[in-house]
Structure formats: structure tokens, C-alpha cells
Amino acid sequence: MASSDHLLDLIRSAPDVRGLLRTSFEFDVERSECGDGLGLASGASLEPIAGDFTGGAYFLCAEEGGRRPVVFASSDGVSGLIADDLAGALEIIVGLQWRDCLGFSGGGDLEVMLASAQHLERYLVRDNPEFAEERARVASALSLRVVPVPDLVVRLHEAASRTEPHYVVATDDGDAYDGVFGEYSEPRLGGWR
């Protein structure tokens, strides 16, 4: 298992991988200023490591048992634990439409998340036929496993379910972010088509 620092160094030193992570997977290490003023509700600090297109941020938490958990905080006040370390988080980020999978989770129902992931994967492949190749390139460059989507959904569900109480993100004023599980099981206008 590669350390978080090693993985971040690999990303920063490989412009093609850094570019793919930014454009195809919305993990931009050049936007690590996103999420300033945020910490954990417990008072523990967070280390921002990347941002997404909408102002959301990825953070490393303090080390626990040799690992540094990764949390995500969106710009609209939603946050949660996504993995126990950066390698696991990147496998989810690269292998799964994870934010939409959580958003269409029926309040955190694993079966709903699995169904959502299947629909999201179908749309993704249809809209970007090169996506599988991009996933494979990033995974190979960072020595990540290419994990089947259902397994990633289970891992993501397990991590997000452990957000409270230790991984709740809060502003410096003490306002806690909402959890990551969305209440809907499919898009409201027309469902999955």
C-alpha cells in the first residue's frame, strides 16, 4: 500500500495522470486551496489535497493505525468519509461515479446504490467510450487496483456509513455539514432512462 504522500507525489510528477484525474475524475491536486476554513466537528484539523470543479474538496485526516482516512466536503454543505486511505479513495474516485451513487442512494440503502451505480456506469460508458481506458491508465500509473463497480459501491457505502461521529466536517464557526447519502433513489424527472 502506497502512502498518501507517495501517491500525491506521483500525481504531481506525472502531468498526463494529473490531467486525467482533473478532467475525467474531478480530482484536481492543483485546487488544494478548496475547503479552507474546514475541519472535523471534533476539532481535528484536515489537510486539503485536491478540489473538484464545483469547489468541493478532498481532505486527509490524521493518521490512524498507519492510514490517513479521506473525507470529501462539497461546496453545498455535504460531507462524508469515502475511504480509510488515499489509495482506497482513488480506487473509488477512478472506478465509480461515487458522488451520484451516494446522491441517488435512497437515504443510504446499499441495494439502491448498487442499482444507481449500474445506471451511472451505463451512461458514463455511452457518453465517453474512452473512459475504461482512462481508468486503466490512471490505475496503472498509480499502482491502484481496478476493482469491480459493485465491490466499490460496498466499500463506499461502508465508509460513508461511518462518517458520524468522527468524520463530520464543520466550518470554523462550528456549523456541521450534512451527510452524503441523498434521499432519492433515481433522478426525479424521468428516473433512469
Side-chain angles (χ1 to χ4, degrees), residues 116-164:
S116 294
Q118 289 176 340
H119 291 291
L120 291 161
E121 187 72 10
R122 186 178 72 236
Y123 296 142
L124 180 65
V125 171
R126 182 191 66 202
D127 295 342
N128 182 359
E130 294 86 32
F131 205 77
E133 177 191 331
E134 293 171 350
R135 272 184 179 152
R137 284 177 48 205
V138 170
S140 176
L142 299 178
S143 299
L144 302 173
R145 296 172 296 157
V146 177
V147 180
V149 168
D151 295 345
L152 290 173
V153 173
V154 170
R155 285 173 40 188
L156 177 62
H157 180 268
E158 190 274 332
S161 296
R162 290 188 294 114
T163 296
E164 291 186 29

Side-chain angles (χ1 to χ4, degrees), residues 1 6 38 40 46 57 71 75 93 115 143-144 147 149 156 162 178 182 186 189:
M1 170 180 57
H6 177 70
L38 297 178
L40 292 177
L46 292 170
V71 297
S75 59
I93 291 164
S143 299
L144 302 173
V147 180
V149 168
L156 177 62
R162 290 188 294 114
D178 293 329
E186 60 185 36
L189 301 175

Side-chain angles (χ1 to χ4, degrees), residues 101 104-106 108-119 153-154 157 185:
C101 187
F104 297 112
S105 68
D109 184 300
L110 179 59
E111 294 304 317
V112 172
M113 287 178 67
L114 287 164
S116 294
Q118 289 176 340
H119 291 291
V153 173
V154 170
H157 180 268
S185 57

Side-chain angles (χ1 to χ4, degrees), residues 27-101:
F27 185 88
D28 188 353
V29 295
E30 294 175 11
R31 296 182 64 133
S32 60
E33 78 287 344
C34 291
D36 285 345
L38 297 178
L40 292 177
S42 66
S45 63
L46 292 170
E47 178 186 342
I49 55 170
D52 71 3
F53 297 156
T54 64
Y58 295 90
F59 300 94
L60 289 174
C61 300
E63 187 173 319
E64 298 174 9
R67 295 177 158 196
R68 294 191 68 191
V70 177
V71 297
F72 177 79
S74 74
S75 59
D76 58 351
V78 171
S79 72
L81 178 67
I82 57 174
D84 291 327
D85 58 33
L86 184 55
L90 286 168
E91 287 173 355
I92 288 170
I93 291 164
V94 171
L96 178 65
Q97 296 293 93
W98 71 273
R99 278 175 281 192
D100 288 335
C101 187

